[in-house]
Amino acid sequence: MMQLTIPPRPILLETLEHDMLIDGRRVPALSGKRFETRNPATGELLATIAHGGAEDVDRAVKAARAALAGPWGRMKAVERQRIMLRLADLVEEHFEELAMLDTLDLGAPYSRTIMGKARAGALLRYYAGQATLIAGETLPNGAPGDVLSHTLKEPIGVVAAINPWNGPIGMSVWKAGPVLASGCTLVMKPAEQTPLSALRFGELCLEAGVPDGVVNILTGLGDAGAALSAHPGVDKIAFTGSTGVGEKILHAAAASMKRVTVELGGKSPNIVFADADLDKAVPAAAMAVFANAGQICSAGTRLFVQSAIHDEFMERLAAFTRTIKVGDPLDPTTQMGPVVSAPQMDKILAFIAGANMEGARPLTGGTRMSGAGYDGGYFIEPTIFTHVADDMTIAREEIFGPVLSAFRFETVEEVLARANATEFGLGSGVWTRDLATAHRMARGIRAGSVWVNCYQMLDPGVPFGGYGMSGFGRESGPHHIEDYLETKAVWINLD
Ligand code: NAP
Ligand code: MG
């Protein structure tokens, strides 16, 4: 394997103060307030960020509305496409810097963040391709006389994107893709823990030729997100984050009838049948939950193992998990970094304590890591619980940390019922060599993605999203762009 080289510290971080990006310019918050962003591996202060309030939200939304009426609104799809392809090249060219910003801001190992390069480029190129495919239809009608009817597809207008912190640059690109392809404009609020790569992405948009005001990066805390989701000048909200905040956003959006899509939390089942290829299933089951320190919405956090192989599987899983290298995100061999913040760490440790209280047994892990290299940061051991009952808190609630709950099962019908006994429905995994089992599980599981003999596959061309409390709407795939378009019916009476 090629040795991974860690790039130098991004030049951006030579400046401590970072402003938001509105109408093509970097501006401080009108209040003058700032908030801090820190490196969760060390506690080091990375930057102070403009702390946007409702008045900044208003400025950003007005800039985005004005941009709809400017050169962007008159641009042909082919021109937007050219800009997006240039942006894809720029994002790839600068990806080492973007990945480093995310590694420092989020704590994810550089070996992981740099892997997002191929996906970022592919996403932008996929949506660029869609720009020139947007078209209305000529439709027959039964009206008396000679009457033509056709549809026009128009950009929906100003889109507010509100993002979580667990995959910052990937999320920025994913949100911007359909906005730029459809000719909408964007006010994007990155999470307060990870604002840096979004600001750099906004600059790259300008460099690629995206006109001023089309992509605005509004930095701030939850109240800025709330102001954005209630602003009457916003036509659509694309939210990714927790189910609780998703509910608030639906309420806020109701007053001005905004279109909303919400990609929320999960408690995804990963199901291993006795006939599975265990050499593949063991490491995959571990990384389904320990990748990104468990901070993935579709993480496979409920592991169901068929009785005949349960004990052997759990032994191998524990052995593999103990080999996962946790530590400095800037060490190229690190596989798992810290969790994002002290509050997130405390929340995860409380879930672990609760699991012990409720009678689950830790097979491996279960504590905060301490000692040299760990003390300044928020490191938690990869943790596996066995003897978990289906109604325990760790079996039901999203933890968003490196904690796996393992269960034993006997039959297809039983595991299907237990896998579906959750309010969520985001990801799911099935490990079997039996074609019929694979298809029956794929049909039976209530979740937006079913991964058979793999986990966490994503592609720009394939839809991703949730059932139930995991939200609604699908990002990626051929139909995602529809969420960004209005359909207008035009009737022409020729008589
Ligand atoms: P979060 O607390 O819901 O925050 C998400 C975003 O919403 C942040 O930018 C946050 O701002 C903002 N926000 C907070 N309160 C708000 C309000 N009242 N109105 C509008 N916006 C508000 O989620 P998180 O902790 O960042 O991320 C973890 C969650 O995201 C997990 O539940 C995870 O499952 C989910 N997630 C889902 C997917 C998916 O595709 N389904 C992908 C990734 C993550 P602040 O940062 O300033 O609080
Ligand atoms: Mg940070």
Side-chain angles (χ1 to χ4, degrees):
M1 213 206 293
M2 223 170 61
Q3 175 72 33
L4 183 67
T5 315
I6 305 290
R9 194 177 163 88
I11 293 170
L12 189 113
L13 292 177
E14 284 171 13
T15 315
L16 186 67
E17 296 190 348
H18 291 273
D19 290 338
M20 55 185 119
L21 183 70
I22 295 181
D23 206 12
R25 279 183 305 278
R26 299 297 286 267
V27 291
L30 286 168
S31 68
K33 286 203 264 179
R34 318 191 68 82
F35 66 93
E36 293 182 343
T37 186
R38 289 181 179 269
N39 179 347
T42 59
E44 176 208 5
L45 176 65
L46 295 169
T48 69
I49 309 289
H51 181 158
E55 59 289 357
D56 300 294
V57 166
D58 190 53
R59 269 202 296 181
V61 172
K62 284 187 174 137
R65 283 230 81 79
L68 282 172
W72 180 249
R74 293 187 293 276
M75 228 178 243
K76 290 189 189 303
V78 69
E79 295 174 72
R80 293 200 305 275
Q81 183 177 65
R82 200 176 301 126
I83 290 173
M84 291 182 75
L85 293 173
R86 213 179 295 144
L87 179 61
D89 290 343
L90 278 173
V91 164
E92 282 182 343
E93 264 167 49
H94 292 268
F95 209 82
E96 291 188 353
E97 177 195 354
L98 294 163
M100 271 297 273
L101 288 172
D102 278 357
T103 285
L104 294 169
D105 225 0
L106 168 67
Y110 181 75
S111 60
R112 175 181 173 81
T113 55
I114 193 63
M115 299 259 290
K117 178 175 174 177
R119 175 168 162 80
L123 271 170
L124 286 167
R125 293 193 183 93
Y126 180 82
Y127 287 108
Q130 287 201 314
T132 48
L133 296 176
I134 296 167
E137 295 168 297
T138 301
L139 296 165
N141 66 70
D146 192 359
V147 184
L148 282 182
S149 46
H150 69 270
T151 57
L152 296 176
K153 293 287 184 181
E154 299 172 349
I156 205 162
V158 175
V159 175
I162 303 178
N163 293 354
W165 41 260
N166 62 332
I169 184 60
M171 196 55 71
S172 294
V173 166
W174 208 357
K175 295 293 189 210
V179 169
L180 297 174
S182 59
C184 291
T185 60
L186 179 65
V187 179
M188 182 152 69
K189 193 199 101 55
E192 66 189 69
Q193 295 88 346
T194 55
L196 294 169
S197 66
L199 289 169
R200 190 69 186 104
F201 174 71
E203 289 179 347
L204 293 176
C205 289
L206 293 173
E207 200 177 322
V210 175
D212 291 353
V214 173
V215 172
N216 304 279
I217 310 295
L218 192 278
T219 50
L221 308 187
D223 60 331
L228 192 53
S229 49
H231 197 294
V234 170
D235 301 291
K236 176 196 157 57
I237 304 175
F239 174 70
T240 303
S242 62
T243 296
V245 172
E247 285 175 28
K248 288 186 190 165
I249 284 175
L250 291 184
H251 284 287
S256 54
M257 283 304 164
K258 297 181 196 354
R259 311 296 194 275
V260 186
T261 45
V262 281
E263 302 277 359
L264 308 174
K267 192 75 189 176
S268 301
N270 191 16
I271 303 162
V272 185
F273 286 91
D275 69 342
D277 179 343
L278 300 193
D279 291 341
K280 288 191 182 136
V282 167
M287 295 323 286
V289 60
F290 300 130
N292 214 33
Q295 303 166 125
I296 298 181
C297 50
S298 46
T301 50
R302 289 187 297 143
L303 175 68
F304 292 90
V305 184
Q306 202 162 23
S307 220
I309 56 158
H310 178 273
D311 294 352
E312 179 202 344
F313 191 88
M314 293 313 297
E315 216 170 277
R316 289 179 61 177
L317 185 69
F320 177 88
T321 299
R322 289 189 199 103
T323 69
I324 294 174
K325 192 169 168 204
V326 185
D328 180 5
L330 296 176
D331 177 337
T333 64
T334 293
Q335 292 165 289
M336 201 179 103
V339 299
V340 71
S341 64
Q344 185 69 13
M345 177 182 69
D346 293 343
K347 193 179 124 193
I348 297 163
L349 292 174
F351 272 113
I352 291 174
N356 283 311
M357 293 268 295
E358 284 187 84
R361 293 193 205 152
L363 177 65
T364 185
T367 55
R368 178 179 182 183
M369 300 173 78
S370 57
Y374 296 122
D375 280 348
Y378 315 122
F379 294 90
I380 297 180
E381 288 178 302
T383 300
I384 301 174
F385 277 103
T386 59
H387 299 79
V388 184
D390 291 13
D391 61 351
M392 285 183 189
T393 309
I394 53 159
R396 290 181 292 106
E397 291 185 20
E398 182 182 52
I399 301 173
F400 227 55
V403 184
L404 177 68
S405 302
F407 310 85
R408 181 193 289 269
F409 77 92
E410 307 287 340
T411 68
V412 170
E413 295 70 31
E414 171 208 340
V415 78
L416 202 46
R418 291 170 68 193
N420 284 338
T422 169
E423 58 183 2
F424 296 112
L426 194 55
S428 61
V430 176
W431 296 85
T432 179
R433 288 185 168 109
D434 186 282
L435 203 56
T437 307
H439 279 287
R440 281 193 190 116
M441 294 300 291
R443 274 195 223 132
I445 292 176
R446 285 184 48 77
S449 297
V450 183
W451 291 293
V452 179
N453 295 331
C454 57
Y455 204 86
Q456 218 70 277
M457 304 274 290
L458 280 181
D459 188 88
V462 181
F464 178 84
Y467 281 42
M469 295 300 266
S470 292
F472 52 83
R474 294 290 179 270
E475 295 191 310
S476 293
H479 311 299
H480 184 199
I481 191 93
E482 289 292 333
D483 290 342
Y484 294 76
L485 298 169
E486 286 283 14
T487 302
K488 179 184 284 173
V490 180
W491 296 80
I492 301 180
N493 185 352
L494 302 179
D495 287 332

